[in-house]
Amino acid sequence: MYDTMNPDNSTQTIRILTTGGTIEKSYCESDGTLMNRASTIREGIIQSLRLPYTELELESVLNKDSLEMDDADRDKIAQAIAACGDAQPIVVLHGTDTMSVTAEYCHARLGQPGVAVVFTGAMKPMGFIDSDARQNVTEALLAAKLLPPGFYIAFHNRVFAVPGVRKNLDTGTFEAC
Amino acid sequence: MYDTMNPDNSTQTIRILTTGGTIEKSYCESDGTLMNRASTIREGIIQSLRLPYTELELESVLNKDSLEMDDADRDKIAQAIAACGDAQPIVVLHGTDTMSVTAEYCHARLGQPGVAVVFTGAMKPMGFIDSDARQNVTEALLAAKLLPPGFYIAFHNRVFAVPGVRKNLDTGTFEAC
Amino acid sequence: MYDTMNPDNSTQTIRILTTGGTIEKSYCESDGTLMNRASTIREGIIQSLRLPYTELELESVLNKDSLEMDDADRDKIAQAIAACGDAQPIVVLHGTDTMSVTAEYCHARLGQPGVAVVFTGAMKPMGFIDSDARQNVTEALLAAKLLPPGFYIAFHNRVFAVPGVRKNLDTGTFEAC
Amino acid sequence: MYDTMNPDNSTQTIRILTTGGTIEKSYCESDGTLMNRASTIREGIIQSLRLPYTELELESVLNKDSLEMDDADRDKIAQAIAACGDAQPIVVLHGTDTMSVTAEYCHARLGQPGVAVVFTGAMKPMGFIDSDARQNVTEALLAAKLLPPGFYIAFHNRVFAVPGVRKNLDTGTFEAC
C-alpha cells in the first residue's frame, strides 16, 4: 500500500484535470445539443460528495469529445500532468473512446510518474439520473489515494494499470488487454 | 498493491455482510418510523452501480442500530466474517456509532484476516437524496479489491486501518486516533 | 373554470402556509431523529420547480406532526388563512393524519373562503428519493390556480372538496367519504 | 369546474398520446446521441408517480422531434385524438418547439373536443436530474382531470387555452399571446 494510513487527520490534496468527454457533456435547452462546454464536475458531482479530509484542485485543460482529440491535445494533457509535480495524486476526467490512447500517450511521453495518475470518465453524462459518472469519480478519487505511482484507469469498480487496458465498445466498459 | 491488476477479465467476488445501522434504516409510511427492518442495500444502491467484473454475495447477519449491539452481536459478526473464508474480500455494512468498536472486536477475536475486511456505513440512511451511503459503499467495494488483507473502515474518501480509527461525533465522520 | 386563462403574462402569487407534517420532517445526522424542525419546502422542492409566472410567499405557521395538533393549533392555522385575505390562492402544507380534520375545522370556522385553499402533504418526507412530496406540491400549486374558491385536499393526482374526504390508513392515500 | 368531485373512489382513466419531443429523447451510450427512439414515459416518470385513482392508457403515435413534424404528422396526431372518443381526458406529450402549432392544428381540424386535451412536454429530456418533465407531466395529468373540454397547454405551473399560447424562445417557457 502506497498510502500511509491513519498518520493524522490533515487534509490530502488531489488534483483533478478535466479534458471534456461524455462525463462532462451538458445539455443546452435553447438548441437541444449535448456537448462539452465548460467543466461541470464541481457542481455536478463534487459538491455532493463528502470529502472532509480531501482538498480538490480543479484545472480545466480541454473541453473536447475524446474522439476529436489529436496528439496536440494529448500533449497538452501530458504537459498539464507534468506541471502538477509530485506533491499530490492526480485524477484526469476524459472521454472513454480514446481514454486508453491518451493514458498510454502520457505514459510513453512522461514515463513512470511520481504519483498515481488515475483516468476516469463515464458512459453517460453526469447530468443524467442513471449516469455512471458519480460512481467512477468516487472510485477514481479513492484510487488516487490508495494506488502507488503509475498511470491507471478506474472505471466501474475496477482499476486497470496502463498500458494494458482498452474500451470494449460492445459491453460499454473497459477491459484488460 | 494486493490486487493483481489486469490479469484477465474474469469476475471477482466480494462478499457483503449487512448488520443494520443508519445506512439501512428504512421509512415505514404507515407509522412514520425510520428503523432497521430488512437489508435494503441491493435495491437501494447495488442495482444502480455498474459492476461488470464484480459479483456480490449478500448475507444479512443482523438488522440493528449499532448503539444497541452487544458483544453477542459482535460475536455473531465475527463468526460471519470467519465463515466467509479467504477466497474473496468482505465489505461489512454497519452503524457508524460503534463501527470501530465492532471492527476492533473482530480484529481482536480473529487476528489478521486472509482478505481485506472493509467496514462502512452512512451518516444518513440510503433512502435520502443527500445520503452518503452510495459514496461510502462505492468506496468500500473498491477498497475491498485494492487493499491487502486486514481490517479497515472506508468512509468519506478515506481508508483507515483498524485499530486506529474512531467516529468523531462533532464532525460526523471518522478520524485517525 | 375560476382562473381567467391567458389574459397576460404577469406573475400570479400563491401563498404557502407550512404547518409541519411528514412532508417537512427532516433528518438530524447527529441524533438520528426524523422530525419537524424548520420549514424545508423552499430548498427541498420549490427551488427545483420551474415557476416563471408564479410568485410564492411562504409563511411558517407551525412545525408539528399533525397527530400532535389540537384545536389551538387548528385555530392558529385558520387565523393564518384568514389573514391572507382574498388576493391570492393558498396552499397549506400539513400532516396527512389529521389533514382533513384541520381542513374541516377551517371550513367550519371560516365558512366559504374568497380563494381556493388547497391542503396537501406527503406520505413520505420530501428528503427521500421516492417521496410523494414533490408530486403533491406540484399538484397543489396548479390546483390553487385552477380551482374556484373553497377548501380542498390535493393528493396523488386527485382533488377532493372539503368536507367529504378522509385519509385511508390502509391504502396510504385520501378517499372520498 | 368540469370534474365532479368526490362522488366515489372509482378509478378515472386518462389517455396519454406520445409523439416524441425533447421530453422523451433518450441517450444512447454506444453512439452518444440524444434522440427520440421509443416512448420512455412509463419507466421514466409514470412508474414513480402515485396514482391510486388514475388509470393511464398509453399510445405511442410518433417519435419525432417536433421541429421535424409536418402536417401529415399533425394529421396523425389529430386522428389519434379523435379516435380516443369522449370517454376520458387526454394528455399529449409533444416537443415544445411546435407544440402550439400542433395544438392549434388539432383545434382547427377537430373543433371543440368533448374532453380536455392537454398538451405538455419539457425543455430538458426526462432522463436529466434537473428536467422539468416530471413537473409538467404531473401538472398535465391533474389539469386533464380538472379542466372543462378544450385544447390546452400545461407547462411550468400554468395552463393556457389553445389558441392563445406560444413558446418564448428567450425565456424557455410558454406565454400567452
Side-chain angles (χ1 to χ4, degrees), chain C:
Chain C
M1 277 280 299
Y2 184 65
D3 188 49
T4 311
M5 282 184 182
N6 303 24
D8 60 46
N9 293 302
S10 57
T11 299
Q12 184 178 355
T13 299
I14 299 177
R15 194 156 182 96
I16 300 184
L17 306 181
T18 69
T19 73
T22 292
I23 188 170
E24 291 211 288
K25 285 185 180 171
S26 59
Y27 185 75
C28 173
E29 295 192 7
S30 62
D31 66 10
T33 56
L34 186 65
M35 286 175 58
N36 287 294
R37 282 168 249 264
S39 177
T40 55
I41 185 77
R42 187 178 294 280
E43 57 278 26
I45 295 181
I46 290 171
Q47 283 182 345
S48 59
L49 291 178
R50 303 202 189 190
L51 305 166
Y53 299 113
T54 310
E55 190 170 345
L56 298 179
E57 294 179 358
L58 268 72
E59 179 185 345
S60 176
V61 180
L62 293 170
N63 277 302
K64 278 201 174 178
D65 186 314
S66 78
L67 287 172
E68 296 168 8
M69 286 185 185
D70 57 20
D71 279 358
D73 294 316
R74 298 200 164 88
D75 207 58
K76 204 170 169 188
I77 296 171
Q79 287 177 35
I81 291 170
C84 289
D86 292 346
Q88 68 280 311
I90 299 168
V91 167
V92 183
L93 299 190
H94 194 288
T96 58
D97 282 317
T98 69
M99 188 187 291
S100 62
V101 176
T102 299
E104 288 177 28
Y105 180 98
C106 293
H107 175 261
R109 173 116 197 282
L110 301 175
Q112 169 73 355
V115 294
V117 182
V118 183
F119 284 72
T120 199
M123 291 299 296
K124 200 160 191 173
M126 70 174 78
F128 283 95
I129 294 164
D130 58 348
S131 170
D132 53 336
R134 173 175 299 273
Q135 173 187 344
N136 291 333
V137 169
T138 301
E139 291 169 2
L141 289 174
L142 188 68
K145 283 192 171 178
L146 296 181
L147 294 170
F151 287 100
Y152 305 93
I153 287 178
F155 213 78
H156 295 171
N157 188 234
R158 191 166 168 193
V159 174
F160 301 88
V162 172
V165 50
R166 67 176 167 212
K167 183 176 178 182
N168 182 323
L169 294 170
D170 295 328
T171 57
T173 193
F174 284 87
E175 65 181 10
C177 64

Side-chain angles (χ1 to χ4, degrees), chain A residues 27 29 124 127-130, chain C residues 50, chain D residues 16 18-27 34-36 38-48 58 63 93-94 120-137:
Chain A
Y27 185 76
E29 295 193 6
K124 200 160 191 172
F128 283 95
I129 295 164
D130 58 349
Chain C
R50 303 202 189 190
Chain D
I16 301 184
T18 69
T19 72
T22 292
I23 188 171
E24 290 213 288
K25 286 186 180 170
S26 59
Y27 184 76
L34 186 65
M35 287 175 57
N36 287 295
S39 177
T40 55
I41 185 78
R42 188 179 294 278
E43 58 277 27
I45 294 180
I46 290 172
Q47 282 182 345
S48 59
L58 268 72
N63 277 302
L93 299 190
H94 194 288
T120 199
M123 291 300 295
K124 200 160 191 171
M126 69 176 77
F128 283 96
I129 294 164
D130 58 347
S131 170
D132 52 337
R134 174 175 300 272
Q135 175 186 344
N136 291 333
V137 169

Side-chain angles (χ1 to χ4, degrees), chain A residues 114-125:
Chain A
V115 293
V117 182
V118 183
F119 284 72
T120 199
M123 292 299 295
K124 200 160 191 172

Side-chain angles (χ1 to χ4, degrees), chain B residues 51-135:
Chain B
L51 304 167
Y53 298 114
T54 310
E55 190 171 344
L56 298 179
E57 294 179 357
L58 269 71
E59 178 185 347
S60 175
V61 180
L62 293 171
N63 277 301
K64 278 201 175 179
D65 185 314
S66 78
L67 286 172
E68 297 168 6
M69 285 185 185
D70 56 21
D71 279 357
D73 294 317
R74 298 201 163 87
D75 207 56
K76 205 170 168 188
I77 296 171
Q79 287 177 34
I81 292 170
C84 290
D86 291 348
Q88 67 281 310
I90 299 169
V91 168
V92 183
L93 300 190
H94 195 287
T96 58
D97 282 316
T98 69
M99 188 188 291
S100 62
V101 177
T102 299
E104 287 177 30
Y105 180 98
C106 293
H107 176 262
R109 174 113 197 283
L110 301 176
Q112 171 73 355
V115 293
V117 182
V118 184
F119 284 72
T120 198
M123 292 301 294
K124 201 162 190 171
M126 69 174 77
F128 282 95
I129 295 165
D130 58 349
S131 170
D132 53 337
R134 172 174 302 273
Q135 174 186 343

